[in-house]
Amino acid sequence: MQTSRLPTDRLLTDPILGQLSAIQLSKLLPHIEARVIDAGGHLYQMGDPARTVYVIQRGTVRMECARGRRTTRNEGYAGEESLLGIDSHTDAAIAVDQTDVLAIPASALADITELSRSLREHFFKSYVTRYDDPGDAAPPLIPKALPVDATLFAILGWLLAIALPVLAFLIGPALGLSEAATDFLAIIAVTVCMWLFGLVPEYVPPLFAALAVILLDVAPPEQALSGFRSESFFICLSIFGIGAMMVASGVTYRFSLWVMSRVPATLAGYSISLFGLGTLLSPIIPSVVGRVTIISPFLVELVELSKAGPKDVFANRLIFSLTAGASIFVPLFLTASVPNLVVYGLLDPQTQFAFDWLSWINASLVFGLLVLVSFFVVSALLFRGAREFSIPRQTILEQRRILGPITRMEWVAILAVTAMTLGILTEAVHGIDVPWVALAVLVTLMLFGSFQREALRNQIDWPVLIYIGAIVGWVPIAASTGLDDTIVAHLGWLAHYMTTDFPLFILMLSGLILVVRLALPTGVTVVLFTTALFPLAAAHGCSLWLIGFIILAVADTFIFPYQSSYFLKLRNDLAARGMGEVCDDGRIISANIVMLVLRIGAIYGSLIYWQYLDLM
């Protein structure tokens, strides 16, 4: 068997593949391999795993099924069963003479055939008409048995999910909690167990919590579900929608090809590119989930083209680079996240005047440099041994040629992103909050028909949105039950260390934040600790900005996947393309722990600089 140059132009005239759009064909191109099969050579044998579809370009292929039937083809396809849910080839395919074929991995075609029912039907028709009697080749399609997950780890999780609520009911009165607050604490305990042990998908526990809150009369339904009408929910919905528009139009894919054609075709080049894109978007898009939504198609494309297997180190380094680039600089930019804006709003007028956008960056500069160095150290040490992979420049150029000029839909997507960016940057002028600027852009796209129902249904990550909407409602519930007041009352002892031993105060505060983050999202944690500590800091003459910055720097981290909606979003994007097993959660958790330690170290490393700025 030999390989030859890929005849791109012939793909455009193929009766089935020619139906693909320019962007679909461009995405498929790097996966296609042109092969020359010598006379008597096998494309595949009966019983071989069905993973590849072959397009016959020149020559003749003889197919032999188990019943002794034979047929020949000098055009069309072979191996179509790989797209029809059949695990192994039902016949053998042998080259009668020297034959040119295009080999296409079925996994690469899977997404396209799911989107195009007619395309799948064409392949099915080609398969069943292979012999005079379609029954000669087609075996019954037997569904695969589902794996049984009854591990000791899961059993332990369910046992704790039962035991911890009982413990909450026992200690609640001793802590001075009301009946409603005790019930809510028990509900949180069950929810955290579900997350920590991965007992159910990540978006299910907060929905369970909302239902339990309503049924146990802990809070009224409008309060339990208030997250679905919060600014956080609408900003995520809007950015998800605009991100979906960018993906559906193809502008994200075009941009990823442009980036890949200019960065070094190495692991380091791709890694730095993903990290850099996240960093560049940080001051513009006030949501880590939104930034990941915009950049993730670039990463998914790279991982898919690299044919990454389960827990592939190369793919996981790219995943770490993207999540780090989109998140580690959040404390540096005032407009990088909604919690930053919340902290800014809680500052007194004098502090707000002193810390505008540029002053905020200046005060956090040393911290930013230290976490940047930390990223490169963690990437080099914890992801060492990753294989190299590169996409040939000629292939990328051919992909860009197939795409042709920028389409009208791509221009609409570019204008939408530009309008949203300008609206966010000019918020001080027009006075419209960021969530409603983003929602206005999304609604405008819908009004003018630029957003198709198919893209709205398939491209937006609705499970992550459900996760966000359900968990944001915990803030008003904690306030109405008095649970937040109890927590604040038990934090008063920190004031002593805030003034007498600030380094120890940082360590204690970081530990408390990390414990709370096991149960509560970043935004809730930030609100809780700023509410408790800002009055204490003001009373003891400590900088409110410094206390707020430390809270943001520690709270905006995650160790376990369930703690991060943007990591869940990225993992869902990979799973949607059949690459759910690529993520190595153990390696990512290890990297997050090391980054967290170094991040707290960066706070300590900034103390001298903050003393120089007279913030301490």
Side-chain angles (χ1 to χ4, degrees):
M1 183 185 70
Q2 309 168 23
T3 58
S4 62
R5 185 179 179 275
L6 188 64
T8 306
D9 294 335
R10 293 183 64 178
L11 292 174
L12 299 173
T13 59
D14 185 89
I16 296 181
L17 299 180
Q19 299 179 35
L20 301 179
S21 65
I23 187 171
Q24 288 175 325
L25 186 57
S26 177
K27 287 183 176 181
L28 190 62
L29 185 63
H31 301 278
I32 303 176
E33 179 184 351
R35 299 179 184 175
V36 178
I37 312 296
D38 294 330
H42 281 77
L43 278 73
Y44 52 82
Q45 299 191 46
M46 191 182 308
D48 286 349
R51 297 171 181 167
T52 307
V53 180
Y54 298 91
V55 184
I56 303 169
Q57 298 289 294
R58 185 180 64 82
T60 304
V61 174
R62 183 177 70 252
M63 298 180 186
E64 301 177 353
C65 72
R67 300 183 185 181
R69 303 295 298 274
R70 296 186 176 186
T71 188
T72 58
R73 284 185 172 180
N74 53 20
E75 61 181 11
Y77 309 90
E80 304 98 308
E81 56 264 43
S82 60
L83 289 170
L84 304 176
I86 303 173
D87 291 333
S88 57
H89 288 293
T90 57
D91 53 17
I94 307 163
V96 176
D97 48 19
Q98 190 177 72
T99 303
D100 296 346
V101 298
L102 301 180
I104 308 175
S107 59
L109 263 172
D111 288 329
I112 297 173
T113 53
E114 285 176 7
L115 292 175
S116 174
R117 182 176 179 180
S118 63
L119 191 69
R120 194 180 187 90
E121 289 175 349
H122 279 301
F123 279 112
F124 180 75
K125 183 179 180 180
S126 172
Y127 174 68
V128 298
T129 58
R130 184 177 296 175
Y131 301 92
D132 293 336
D133 180 6
D136 285 337
L141 301 183
I142 303 174
K144 298 179 182 179
L146 294 175
V148 179
D149 184 11
T151 63
L152 291 176
F153 190 71
I155 295 173
L156 176 62
W158 285 116
L159 290 175
L160 286 175
I162 296 171
L164 288 182
V166 175
L167 180 62
F169 285 121
L170 292 175
I171 67 172
L175 295 174
L177 297 178
S178 64
E179 183 179 345
T182 302
D183 289 344
F184 188 46
L185 183 62
I187 293 169
I188 291 176
V190 177
T191 305
V192 172
C193 284
M194 291 181 180
W195 275 329
L196 281 175
F197 291 89
L199 303 177
V200 292
E202 289 83 357
Y203 60 89
V204 175
L207 280 179
F208 161 81
L211 178 63
V213 163
I214 295 171
L215 294 181
L216 295 177
D217 202 25
V218 174
E222 59 270 19
Q223 195 173 66
L225 302 175
S226 61
F228 290 98
R229 52 187 175 87
S230 67
E231 291 188 357
S232 298
F233 178 80
F234 279 104
I235 192 172
C236 289
L237 171 63
S238 303
I239 295 179
F240 277 15
I242 295 169
M245 171 71 179
M246 294 174 67
V247 173
S249 68
V251 69
T252 302
Y253 178 68
R254 185 186 294 273
F255 178 68
S256 68
L257 288 180
W258 180 84
V259 172
M260 285 190 288
S261 68
R262 281 160 172 77
V263 302
T266 62
L267 170 60
Y270 296 140
S271 176
I272 293 174
S273 298
L274 289 167
F275 180 83
L277 288 172
T279 301
L280 288 174
L281 290 176
S282 291
I284 301 172
I285 306 297
S287 166
V288 183
V289 181
R291 295 193 286 274
V292 170
T293 299
I294 292 172
I295 307 171
S296 66
F298 180 20
L299 177 134
V300 171
E301 187 71 18
L302 277 173
V303 173
E304 187 174 33
L305 291 177
S306 70
K307 297 180 173 59
K311 299 184 178 182
D312 183 83
V313 181
F314 167 84
N316 280 276
R317 179 168 175 179
L318 296 184
I319 292 170
F320 175 70
S321 297
L322 173 53
T323 55
S327 64
I328 67 172
F329 292 127
V330 164
L332 270 72
F333 303 106
L334 176 59
T335 53
S337 73
V338 173
N340 290 18
L341 299 172
V342 170
V343 169
Y344 182 78
L346 293 174
L347 299 174
D348 59 79
Q350 183 178 354
T351 306
Q352 286 183 349
F353 179 79
F355 287 93
D356 57 12
W357 199 83
L358 290 176
S359 299
W360 189 296
I361 294 176
N362 179 61
S364 55
L365 194 58
V366 172
F367 174 86
L369 292 174
L370 291 175
V371 294
L372 177 62
V373 173
S374 300
F375 162 75
F376 286 110
V377 170
V378 173
S379 296
L381 295 181
L382 271 68
F383 296 89
R384 61 181 180 275
R387 61 189 172 88
E388 282 292 344
F389 166 76
S390 63
I391 304 174
R393 299 283 186 186
Q394 187 59 39
T395 300
I396 296 175
L397 292 175
E398 189 69 16
Q399 289 176 275
R400 296 180 68 186
R401 184 185 71 82
I402 290 175
L403 286 180
I406 298 178
T407 64
R408 185 185 70 85
M409 288 299 294
E410 289 178 275
W411 278 119
V412 170
I414 292 171
L415 290 174
V417 174
T418 303
M420 184 178 68
T421 302
L422 291 176
I424 292 172
L425 295 178
T426 58
E427 180 186 3
V429 178
H430 53 67
I432 303 174
D433 292 339
V434 170
W436 315 126
V437 170
L439 185 61
V441 173
L442 177 62
V443 172
T444 302
L445 291 174
M446 293 178 175
L447 286 174
F448 286 93
S450 300
F451 208 116
Q452 302 300 320
R453 179 182 297 178
E454 194 75 15
L456 186 67
R457 183 169 61 245
N458 295 331
Q459 297 291 342
I460 294 180
D461 198 331
W462 294 105
V464 171
L465 272 176
I466 292 173
Y467 168 91
I468 293 170
I471 203 171
V472 168
W474 288 15
V475 178
I477 297 173
S480 66
T481 59
L483 182 60
D484 59 345
D485 291 333
T486 302
I487 296 174
V488 168
H490 284 80
L491 290 177
W493 56 272
L494 275 176
H496 170 72
Y497 297 98
M498 188 187 298
T499 54
T500 60
D501 193 342
F502 198 74
L504 182 58
F505 165 77
I506 294 173
L507 186 62
M508 291 179 172
L509 176 60
S510 300
L512 288 171
I513 290 174
L514 294 178
V515 170
V516 173
R517 279 286 286 118
L518 290 175
L520 302 180
T522 299
V524 179
T525 303
V526 169
V527 171
L528 179 64
F529 278 91
T530 51
T531 302
L533 296 180
F534 272 14
L536 298 176
H540 290 82
C542 293
S543 169
L544 296 187
W545 178 88
L546 183 56
I547 301 300
F549 181 85
I550 294 172
I551 293 171
L552 288 171
V554 180
D556 192 39
T557 58
F558 77 97
I559 296 177
F560 303 104
Y562 80 87
Q563 294 177 290
S564 169
S565 56
Y566 57 88
F567 182 78
L568 298 180
K569 172 72 172 68
L570 184 56
R571 197 166 64 177
N572 288 351
D573 288 347
L574 289 168
R577 298 284 285 270
M579 296 181 289
E581 296 182 354
V582 166
C583 285
D584 185 351
D585 286 351
R587 190 183 294 271
I588 295 295
I589 288 172
S590 299
N592 289 341
I593 291 173
V594 176
M595 277 299 295
L596 176 58
V597 172
L598 295 175
R599 193 182 187 95
I600 295 174
I603 295 175
Y604 282 102
S606 303
L607 292 179
I608 297 176
Y609 181 63
W610 287 331
Q611 286 178 337
Y612 170 76
L613 295 178
D614 201 24
L615 294 175
M616 294 180 59

